Amino acid sequence: MSNDPREGATLWTVPGPVQSIQRGAAILRLLARSSGRLGVGEIATSLGLPRGTAHGLLRTLQLVGFVEQDDATGKYQLGAALLHLGTSYLDVNELRSRAINWADALAARSCESVKIGTVLDGQVLVVHHVFRPDDSLQTLDVGSLLPMHATALGKVLLAFDSGASATLGAGPLDAFTRRTIVEPRALARALAAIREVGWAAQVEEMTVGEAAVAAPIRGHGGLVVGAMGITGAVERICDAKGQPNTALVTFVRDAARAVSRDLGASRW
Amino acid sequence: MVMRYVMSIDQGTTSTRCIVFDQRGRLVSVTQREHRQHFPRPGWVEHDAMEIWRNLERIAPEALRQAGVGLEEIAAIGIANQRETTLLWDRRTGLPLRRAVVWQDTRTNALVDELAARPEAAMVQKRCGLPLATYFSAPRIRWLFDATPGLRERAERGEVLFGTMESWLIWNLTGGPDGGLHLTDVTNASRTLLMDLATLEWDADLLDFFGVPRAMLPQIRPSTETYGVASRVLPGVRIGAALGDQQAALFGQTCFAPGEAKCTYGTGSFLMLNTGTEPVRSSHGLLTTVGYQVGAEPAVYALEGPIAVTGALVQWFRDGLGLINSAAEIETLAKTVDDNGGCYIVPAFAGLFAPHWRSEARGVIVGLTSYITKGHLARAVLEATAWQTREVVDAMNADSGLALRTLKVDGGMTADNLLMQYIADVLDVPVVRPMVAETVSLGAAYAAGLAVGYWPDLEGLRRNWHRAAQWLPVMEPERRAAEYDNWCRAVERSFDWMRPRD
Ligand SMILES: Nc1ncnc2c1ncn2[C@@H]1O[C@H](COP(=O)(O)OP(=O)(O)OP(=O)(O)O)[C@@H](O)[C@H]1O
Ligand SMILES: [Mg+2]
């Protein structure tokens, strides 16, 4: 089963316009045009919608941050999120705050270190790091940058964000070990496979002796806002055949899903 | 029947949380709901206890559902709660008489001054380990009597009950007006100003001093003990523990040996040091309090440095000033600049707690120039938490004669890397966060699990503790000294702001 609606799109018949999106867009236009805030009643009459329908649409637009409701009057205006639609819509420190409980639980279950990453200028920015729970000496990696194509976190981010993959360019990629994927076409195939299964692995592609598993963190509407995964010695992460241990993969995916659920991604 | 999980209830200042933990102390599910903060007048803070109870009715079953766990799989419930928040309710109807008066509330200011002027006032701190301050419960009970004709008589007849939030929840969980159990634990009782720290009983002289009738008080019990079985919300599940939230965090951090300390960063922040089975008196502005009591074992005491406003300052930056949309964005904003630009914020919103105990102090922002941006202010907000920690750590070191070597931290603010690094820098010791940032909840769960034999002993719990993150100091000593000096001068400027009202 594919998680990516873009895939196989050519097989679908082109659907007609979606009414609620048209109506939502009309509400945003109306609010943008108006000089002050508008109440539900005004919006409903302006657009010829039943009050209940307008209210439902406004609630949804509010949930995703496109409109804001004034506490005192209950009236609506355009939301701050609309102003920086292009930039990251979830603050990275907010992502850490929201993910911290599940990242801890993942480290405790997998007995491996956990990292959460987001895209920054074509690289993976480590926004959160939980130590491997063996009390050995480890240093906090928060703030460091990792290559996209050679890490499990990076491959997840590339797979689910076409903008990020565009930054890689067409030429060969840096090799860190003999197993790093350096061929753009090979990488594209790997990313397609990641979209197919919904998680990524990296086996000695960055550092000899090390492997990693990661899964996407999704926000409202399924938008991927980060990746979360574990990294550890290849003999602990992988089975005898060199495949990532299925129990660990399940832990990673469950943890990423729990964060996604808390962030409002209902389907994951 | 396999008892596979323990559930914690953390009834906090801003929200109530339910968490299901497994035997390794790992979080399985978590649900949370905020309640309204009522500020009817400057200095007043109130909570609606019915709203809090209804929140619990909702989130406790939700936590089970989220975990896919049945009631019969829960070995016990442990409760941690905001401390000192004072509630009176009607024994027959089960309804609160009015909203709960929250620990941050300073309405008893004048009353406390009046009580402190009495000759017997010196007895208070000797007997209960706490200074006479608006922070604690007893003056609030007295204030409620003074404000409500006939209330004291009803309390004397046992028609009106007093409790902090754990008492309210336990009473309701065990049936409310239909046979609800009216009890508290030693840690919560130790915050009322009414308990003798040595005997762990309500003290007749203290009751007299504050004019509080014994008939309204809950029975004092150990922190871990099977108090009873819930008949509502989680019917059939044993209630195995209750602790004040800060004591629960001490337990969750497994600070079981004398000399072990933690600091919990939430609405306020609370440094706590285990001092063993003897209470240690502070000469540097710290509180002597009960850390925990496991069943029939002797109580373990603690020294505590409470800081009233830390996360609450971030909250104010968000809600009061509207400069950020979420608490975590304070870090993003603070990182837009390299330093505080010479600006300091002393958040003495309700006076200053440890180690100053200045109720007349009020907040100040100093060092303002036209150079200062909101980024600098954001830095100053985070630095205020770090410097206030430094003050209580210094007091703790002075009282114990030992230098703290690492600081164990927990709570919502530990998600803030910039802040944790700054704390390591100003204390000049490593700062360590354990694998469960929700340490308050974990401590309540540990205590409850211990009561019912789900976990065998304290040593077993200790083995669950693992380091999740560590921040090492990197600040140069000269800069640290200069900044601390600036901070201390800023604090002095917050003093003596409120005038005596006559
Ligand atoms: N990333 C962050 N940076 C700074 N402060 C934060 C951050 N995340 C949360 N906070 C602050 O931490 C506090 C929340 O932490 P936590 O949930 O531990 O509080 P709490 O004191 O347990 O709540 P309660 O008072 O309900 O018990 C809030 O005051 C919030 O402003
Ligand atoms: Mg709390």
Side-chain angles (χ1 to χ4, degrees):
Chain A
M1 269 286 293
S2 167
N3 276 326
D4 187 344
R6 282 170 306 202
E7 252 189 276
T10 50
L11 300 178
W12 302 346
T13 51
V14 179
V18 179
Q19 196 182 41
S20 51
I21 292 186
Q22 288 182 317
R23 288 171 168 174
I27 291 180
L28 294 178
R29 288 219 168 85
L30 191 67
L31 288 171
R33 238 176 15 212
S34 126
S35 53
R37 299 188 179 99
L38 298 176
V40 192
E42 290 167 278
I43 292 169
T45 13
S46 297
L47 300 178
L49 292 175
R51 197 186 158 90
T53 307
H55 192 235
L57 289 164
L58 283 162
R59 287 276 296 268
T60 307
L61 289 168
Q62 190 182 3
L63 195 72
V64 300
F66 284 8
V67 309
E68 283 169 10
Q69 190 179 20
D70 182 52
D71 281 343
T73 61
K75 293 189 170 191
Y76 294 89
Q77 67 189 74
L78 288 184
L82 270 183
L83 302 176
H84 23 83
L85 255 188
T87 54
S88 135
Y89 92 99
L90 185 67
D91 181 278
V92 295
N93 295 309
E94 173 77 3
L95 175 59
R96 182 188 320 110
S97 249
R98 304 281 287 273
I100 195 165
N101 282 331
W102 298 112
D104 280 351
L106 174 58
R109 289 213 163 78
S110 64
C111 298
E112 297 296 347
S113 77
V114 170
K115 284 187 184 128
I116 294 177
T118 58
V119 183
L120 182 70
D121 300 334
Q123 289 182 287
V124 182
L125 170 69
V126 177
V127 300
H128 186 47
H129 176 193
V130 183
F131 291 167
R132 192 171 60 248
D134 59 6
D135 299 325
S136 62
L137 193 65
Q138 298 163 68
T139 47
L140 211 54
D141 263 346
V142 176
S144 61
L145 292 166
L146 305 172
M148 298 270 260
H149 67 286
T151 57
L153 292 174
K155 288 199 279 182
V156 165
L157 294 169
L158 284 172
F160 295 99
D161 181 345
S162 41
S165 38
T167 62
L168 287 184
L173 302 154
D174 290 342
F176 297 95
T177 68
R178 269 182 31 238
R179 304 184 66 163
T180 311
I181 304 176
V182 290
E183 258 298 299
R185 291 219 336 262
L187 183 62
R189 276 196 304 276
L191 298 181
I194 290 164
R195 281 193 288 272
E196 192 69 30
V197 296
W199 57 276
Q202 166 276 113
V203 181
E204 300 194 295
E205 289 162 47
M206 178 73 204
T207 309
V208 175
E210 219 176 71
V213 178
I217 298 175
R218 297 174 185 271
H220 286 301
L223 198 65
V224 171
V225 295
M228 176 171 183
I230 57 173
T231 311
V234 67
E235 62 275 14
R236 292 197 308 263
I237 303 284
C238 297
D239 60 20
K241 286 193 258 95
Q243 293 300 308
N245 183 316
T246 47
L248 291 178
V249 171
T250 305
F251 288 152
V252 170
R253 300 188 72 192
D254 286 351
R257 260 192 222 112
V259 177
S260 303
R261 200 178 49 222
D262 285 359
L263 290 175
S266 44
R267 252 185 334 124
W268 290 270
Chain B
M1 191 163 52
V2 200
M3 300 282 198
R4 293 196 300 161
Y5 305 96
V6 173
M7 184 190 266
S8 65
I9 298 170
D10 173 7
Q11 202 303 293
T13 312
T14 51
S15 72
T16 307
R17 267 169 271 212
C18 285
I19 301 187
V20 175
F21 290 99
D22 68 13
Q23 193 123 25
R24 303 275 293 276
R26 299 178 298 208
L27 180 149
V28 180
S29 70
V30 49
T31 53
Q32 176 173 11
R33 208 172 163 80
E34 294 198 0
H35 51 266
R36 261 191 78 184
Q37 306 289 319
H38 299 268
F39 304 108
R41 295 189 199 180
W44 290 30
V45 189
E46 301 180 345
H47 292 161
D48 176 350
M50 280 315 285
E51 180 187 0
I52 288 174
W53 168 246
R54 281 193 302 268
N55 285 351
L56 181 66
E57 283 184 318
R58 237 172 113 148
I59 63 171
E62 218 172 280
L64 293 181
R65 218 173 309 126
Q66 209 190 78
V69 166
L71 274 176
E72 67 290 348
E73 291 175 273
I74 301 292
I77 314 165
I79 300 175
N81 59 287
Q82 53 169 325
R83 307 171 303 173
E84 301 104 10
T85 294
T86 303
L87 181 70
L88 303 188
W89 70 92
D90 186 309
R91 182 198 291 273
R92 201 176 44 80
T93 65
L95 296 175
L97 297 192
R98 55 194 289 163
R99 288 200 288 250
V101 184
V102 178
W103 60 274
Q104 300 145 315
D105 187 294
T106 53
R107 74 183 63 184
T108 57
N109 231 329
L111 175 63
V112 165
D113 286 347
E114 189 187 309
L115 289 167
R118 292 217 224 133
E120 321 92 273
M123 169 241 347
V124 174
Q125 181 146 18
K126 274 199 213 101
R127 205 64 65 86
C128 72
L130 309 173
L132 185 46
T134 58
Y135 177 25
F136 308 105
S137 313
R140 297 200 175 104
I141 303 177
R142 172 63 187 277
W143 186 95
L144 290 165
F145 285 160
D146 294 349
T148 323
L151 184 57
R152 184 197 308 272
E153 291 69 29
R154 293 189 62 205
E156 274 161 3
R157 291 196 297 271
E159 294 167 21
V160 169
L161 303 179
F162 155 79
T164 38
M165 296 319 286
E166 82 296 353
S167 298
W168 169 245
L169 295 182
I170 292 171
W171 189 77
N172 275 295
L173 283 168
T174 55
D178 304 323
L181 300 172
H182 188 218
L183 48 93
T184 184
D185 92 297
V186 283
T187 66
N188 276 295
S190 79
R191 316 294 293 189
T192 54
L193 292 170
L194 298 172
M195 189 186 83
D196 181 332
L197 206 53
T199 64
L200 308 177
E201 296 290 344
W202 300 122
D203 180 82
D205 295 331
L206 290 170
L207 295 185
D208 265 359
F209 181 81
F210 291 102
V212 173
R214 192 180 285 264
M216 75 188 310
L217 298 178
Q219 195 191 7
I220 303 178
R221 303 281 284 269
S223 322
T224 85
E225 183 187 36
T226 305
Y227 304 129
V229 174
S231 58
R232 307 201 283 190
V233 186
L234 300 161
V237 183
R238 291 171 287 184
I239 304 173
L243 300 109
D245 52 7
Q246 298 311 316
Q247 283 87 343
L250 189 73
F251 211 82
Q253 288 269 19
T254 66
C255 294
F256 299 137
E260 294 186 312
K262 66 86 198 178
C263 192
T264 302
Y265 290 92
T267 305
S269 294
F270 301 83
L271 178 69
M272 208 174 246
L273 171 79
N274 181 324
T275 61
T277 51
E278 291 298 322
V280 172
R281 305 286 167 167
S282 171
S283 42
H284 296 88
L286 303 176
L287 311 177
T288 309
T289 197
V290 180
Y292 54 86
Q293 184 185 19
V294 175
E297 290 172 27
V300 168
Y301 294 87
L303 271 177
E304 176 183 322
I307 306 165
V309 175
T310 55
L313 182 60
V314 177
Q315 222 67 352
W316 174 75
F317 212 68
R318 187 191 74 180
D319 303 335
L321 299 186
L323 289 171
I324 45 176
N325 290 311
S326 73
E329 281 176 33
I330 192 92
E331 184 175 354
T332 311
L333 187 54
K335 276 191 169 151
T336 59
V337 293
D338 293 329
D339 56 33
N340 61 22
C343 178
Y344 301 81
I345 303 180
V346 181
F349 291 180
L352 288 170
F353 286 9
H356 307 286
W357 299 107
R358 302 284 292 237
S359 62
E360 85 305 336
R362 283 300 175 272
V364 293
I365 303 180
V366 298
L368 287 179
T369 60
S370 48
Y371 171 75
I372 298 299
T373 64
K374 57 186 177 178
H376 297 111
L377 290 174
R379 282 236 167 211
V381 163
L382 294 178
E383 292 180 6
T385 293
W387 290 117
Q388 291 187 99
T389 306
R390 169 71 189 263
E391 292 177 327
V392 289
V393 166
D394 283 357
M396 199 77 85
N397 288 345
D399 267 337
S400 67
L402 299 169
L404 182 79
R405 285 207 303 217
T406 54
L407 184 69
K408 289 181 170 181
V409 298
D410 55 82
M413 289 184 101
T414 58
D416 195 309
N417 264 293
L418 188 65
L419 173 62
M420 292 301 115
Q421 181 59 50
Y422 203 72
I423 293 173
D425 283 341
V426 309
L427 297 181
D428 199 18
V429 299
V431 168
V432 177
R433 179 178 83 79
M435 202 57 82
V436 180
E438 297 278 1
T439 308
V440 169
S441 296
L442 183 65
Y446 277 173
L450 210 57
V452 299
Y454 178 77
W455 282 296
D457 54 21
L458 298 181
E459 270 319 302
L461 297 178
R462 228 187 238 288
R463 281 192 294 275
N464 282 345
W465 191 97
H466 294 294
R467 193 188 306 135
Q470 170 162 278
W471 294 266
L472 302 172
V474 293
M475 190 185 269
E476 318 81 69
E478 304 76 40
R479 163 122 189 275
R480 181 182 303 122
E483 287 292 318
Y484 193 24
D485 182 58
N486 288 343
W487 168 259
C488 292
R489 291 186 303 128
V491 169
E492 277 167 32
R493 278 160 180 77
S494 75
F495 292 165
D496 295 321
W497 181 253
M498 298 301 278
R499 296 264 169 77
R501 65 209 69 208
D502 45 20

